Amino acid sequence: MITMKPLTYAVDVQSDPQKAFGLICEIPKWPVWLSFLRSARLADAKKPLQIGSEVVLRSSIPGETEQHFEVDQYIENYLLSLVGAYSVRRRIDFRIERKSKTSKIVVRLDYPAYGGRLASLIDRVTARRKLATALADSLAHFKGLVEFERHPDALLADF
C-alpha cells in the first residue's frame, strides 16, 4: 500500500455557514452535488447524524462498490468527518471556515492505493485525476446550490 496525498479543494460561498453545513449534513442529497457518488444514505435513517453514525456510499472512489464510513468528528456548523469503517486510511472531511461575509467550504478525500508503486502510478494517472476533477466540479455545484438557496429570486430579477 502506498499512502497518497489527500485530495483537498476549497470554495468560498456567499452564504450563511449554517445553511451550507445543513446541506452538507443531508447525506441522501450528496449525489446531487457530489458527482462521484451514485448513492449515499445513513445506515439507520431514523437516527440523527451524530458521532458514530454509519454512512453507506456507492461511489467511483477506488475500492469496493459500496463503502461504509463512520462519523468520526462532528461539530455543528463547522466540521463533519467520516472515516472508513474497515479502513481508517479512508477519510472524507467537510469543514466550514467562517469569514467576515463569506464562508469557506473545504473538502478533503483521502484513500490509500493498494498494489505497490505501479498500482499507485496507475491510480494517480487514471482514477485519482478523474476524482480530483469531479471534486472540483462538485464544489462549484455546491456553491451554486447554497448561493441559489440564499437568493432564489435574484435569478428571476434578470428576466
Side-chain angles (χ1 to χ4, degrees):
M1 174 191 62
I2 303 290
T3 303
M4 306 281 284
K5 289 176 68 177
L7 295 172
T8 305
Y9 286 91
V11 66
D12 289 333
V13 295
Q14 300 285 332
S15 174
D16 178 34
Q18 286 128 343
K19 283 188 178 183
F21 193 76
L23 184 57
I24 288 171
C25 289
E26 293 185 45
I27 307 290
K29 290 186 179 180
W30 283 5
V32 170
W33 60 272
L34 279 171
S35 64
F36 56 87
L37 292 180
R38 287 184 222 113
S39 71
R41 64 180 172 83
L42 284 169
D44 187 353
K46 294 178 183 175
K47 291 186 180 178
L49 184 64
Q50 61 190 355
I51 291 178
S53 294
E54 187 175 349
V55 176
V56 181
L57 304 176
R58 296 181 70 81
S59 71
S60 56
I61 297 174
E64 299 82 32
T65 55
E66 185 171 273
Q67 299 174 18
H68 293 254
F69 288 84
E70 184 176 310
V71 175
D72 161 336
Q73 296 176 28
Y74 180 79
I75 301 172
E76 186 82 28
N77 298 325
Y78 295 101
L79 177 69
L80 175 61
S81 180
L82 307 174
V83 65
Y86 307 113
S87 172
V88 294
R89 293 182 186 267
R90 292 183 179 274
R91 292 194 73 82
I92 303 173
D93 297 323
F94 300 94
R95 187 177 75 238
I96 296 184
E97 299 172 3
R98 181 176 273 165
K99 295 183 171 186
S100 60
K101 293 186 180 183
T102 63
S103 300
K104 183 176 186 178
I105 313 298
V106 180
V107 179
R108 176 181 161 195
L109 295 176
D110 199 1
Y111 69 91
Y114 296 100
R117 293 194 187 281
L118 181 60
S120 173
L121 178 64
I122 291 170
D123 177 71
R124 211 174 300 144
V125 172
T126 57
R128 191 171 191 83
R129 184 174 287 171
K130 288 179 188 175
L131 188 57
T133 302
L135 182 58
D137 292 345
S138 294
L139 279 178
H141 190 103
F142 180 84
K143 176 183 172 79
L145 288 173
V146 170
E147 290 178 354
F148 178 74
E149 279 188 19
R150 184 171 161 251
H151 298 292
D153 296 331
L155 292 177
L156 297 176
D158 293 337
F159 292 104

